[in-house]
Amino acid sequence: MSSKALPYRPHNHAACVQQALAGARAVCKAQNARLTPTRERVLELIWQSHKPLGAYDVLAALAEDGHNAAPPTVYRALDFLLQYGLVHRIASLNAFIGCTHAGEHHTSVFLICRSCRNALELAAPSVADAVREAAAAQAFTPEETTIEIAGQCPNCRHD
Amino acid sequence: MSSKALPYRPHNHAACVQQALAGARAVCKAQNARLTPTRERVLELIWQSHKPLGAYDVLAALAEDGHNAAPPTVYRALDFLLQYGLVHRIASLNAFIGCTHAGEHHTSVFLICRSCRNALELAAPSVADAVREAAAAQAFTPEETTIEIAGQCPNCRHD
DNA sequence: TGAAAATTTGCAACATTATAACATTCGCCC
DNA sequence: GGGCGAATGTTATAATGTTGCAAATTTTCA
Ligand SMILES: [Zn+2]
Ligand SMILES: [Zn+2]
Ligand SMILES: [Zn+2]
Ligand SMILES: [Zn+2]
């Protein structure tokens, strides 16, 4: 869960990460939340990968920084980032990925390639609507939605 | 993850389980798959609960039978049941539940109550369609779909 | 300022979920 | 009833996630 590969589509990823971090700082400031160095570093590490990153991958990356962290450090940072909508947890992978719509209220769909392991977050309002309707038909009140599609991305389709 | 509660709607659950087991036997027979005693017992244990059951819950239930099983026994049985579509894995809970559409090709939506922990499987073709379209729009080829909605069921709504 | 309070972090142990590797037994076919 | 592949038993270990408490840091407010 830690080898390198091209992101979904080529782009200046360093800039992409910086923009995400700036957005995160703004979100935290607006909500009086403290984006401490550890939290920010964890967010940066997650953003640097287009693949969902496991908690222990983050831990290993912190170790390379010389930060001798234990699991709770990472999980606490992840809890914070989840709480403020800065990252998502991909349940089917036990892994985390940066949210591309931080600060906006949204229901995401994740397209997860089983070959290259990249994951793409979609807003997909039509899916969100269909889910809401299905739940309403059962008088069920949705609080949190997990929609993860595993398959093949266009780049990996011809294996 | 093992206390008892009413199922979503009251019904004769023993009959419900027996019907599921009969269906499972039919599916296995049709595919020349061996529904061995351990596998069938695991399926029965899972069906007896309307709540998704963890692998170690199953293990504990087997122990009460006097079956001194180790984790691989349970995971192998679960793998078999998953492979033949007799149970589903709920990724957000690390737990398993009997499939109410065994033998039929389907994309399910799970409504999972955070209060009573019951889970309801829906066919929800409109959701499946919306997901397919969203994936197609990204030239993504879906292979497996995880849709899990956590929230409050009608019985638990007024806490 | 400067102590009290709240939040965050460090740290050790532990809990839960899942798999690897290899030996043994079972069911089936001949 | 011997051979063979599938299924199970057994032991150990990997991977993921949590609890509890102490130390350090930041915030609050007198
Ligand atoms: Zn998002
Ligand atoms: Zn791919
Ligand atoms: Zn099903
Ligand atoms: Zn409920």
Side-chain angles (χ1 to χ4, degrees):
Chain A
M1 205 187 271
S2 59
S3 74
K4 284 163 193 164
L6 282 175
Y8 227 30
R9 290 194 299 209
H11 62 286
N12 181 345
H13 195 45
C16 178
V17 172
Q18 286 314 311
Q19 188 178 335
L21 289 180
R25 283 185 214 108
V27 166
C28 288
K29 191 162 195 176
Q31 309 205 30
N32 261 319
R34 292 167 53 190
L35 189 60
T36 61
T38 301
R39 290 167 175 174
E40 184 168 336
R41 179 64 178 140
V42 169
L43 180 58
E44 185 179 21
L45 287 167
I46 288 175
W47 259 101
Q48 283 173 349
S49 169
H50 271 248
K51 306 180 205 319
L53 219 52
Y56 281 74
D57 292 329
V58 173
L59 195 59
L62 283 177
E64 290 189 5
D65 284 1
H67 186 316
N68 193 7
T73 299
V74 171
Y75 281 101
R76 286 193 284 227
L78 290 170
D79 285 346
F80 173 89
L81 297 171
L82 285 169
Q83 187 181 337
Y84 288 94
L86 303 174
V87 303
H88 292 284
R89 185 181 140 87
I90 309 290
S92 58
L93 298 177
N94 295 332
F96 302 83
I97 192 166
C99 174
T100 53
H101 306 78
E104 304 166 31
H105 202 261
H106 63 292
T107 297
S108 303
V109 174
F110 290 93
L111 303 181
I112 305 163
C113 179
R114 283 175 161 164
S115 295
C116 66
R117 310 235 179 221
N118 283 326
L120 179 65
E121 177 178 358
L122 300 179
S126 65
V127 176
D129 288 347
V131 164
R132 244 190 308 279
E133 276 176 34
Q138 305 292 327
F140 187 94
T141 306
E143 290 171 0
E144 209 171 329
T145 301
T146 300
I147 308 178
E148 302 169 10
I149 318 299
Q152 299 295 319
C153 81
N155 294 336
C156 297
R157 206 163 182 176
H158 315 290
D159 282 346
Chain B
M1 205 187 269
S2 58
S3 75
K4 282 163 196 166
L6 281 176
Y8 229 28
R9 289 193 300 210
H11 62 287
N12 180 344
H13 195 45
C16 178
V17 171
Q18 286 314 310
Q19 189 179 334
L21 290 179
R25 283 184 214 108
V27 166
C28 289
K29 191 163 196 177
Q31 308 204 31
N32 261 319
R34 292 170 53 191
L35 189 60
T36 62
T38 301
R39 289 167 175 173
E40 184 167 336
R41 179 64 178 138
V42 169
L43 180 58
E44 185 179 21
L45 287 166
I46 288 175
W47 260 101
Q48 283 173 349
S49 169
H50 271 248
K51 307 180 205 318
L53 218 53
Y56 282 74
D57 293 328
V58 173
L59 195 59
L62 284 177
E64 290 189 6
D65 284 0
H67 186 317
N68 193 6
T73 298
V74 171
Y75 281 101
R76 287 193 282 228
L78 290 170
D79 284 346
F80 172 90
L81 296 171
L82 285 169
Q83 186 182 336
Y84 287 94
L86 303 174
V87 303
H88 290 285
R89 184 180 139 87
I90 309 290
S92 58
L93 299 177
N94 295 333
F96 302 83
I97 192 167
C99 174
T100 53
H101 306 79
E104 304 167 31
H105 200 261
H106 63 292
T107 297
S108 303
V109 173
F110 290 93
L111 303 182
I112 305 163
C113 179
R114 283 175 160 164
S115 295
C116 66
R117 310 234 178 222
N118 284 326
L120 179 66
E121 177 179 357
L122 300 180
S126 66
V127 177
D129 288 347
V131 164
R132 246 192 305 280
E133 276 176 35
Q138 305 293 325
F140 187 94
T141 308
E143 289 170 0
E144 209 172 327
T145 300
T146 300
I147 306 179
E148 301 169 10
I149 318 298
Q152 299 295 318
C153 80
N155 295 336
C156 297
R157 207 164 180 175
H158 314 291
D159 282 346

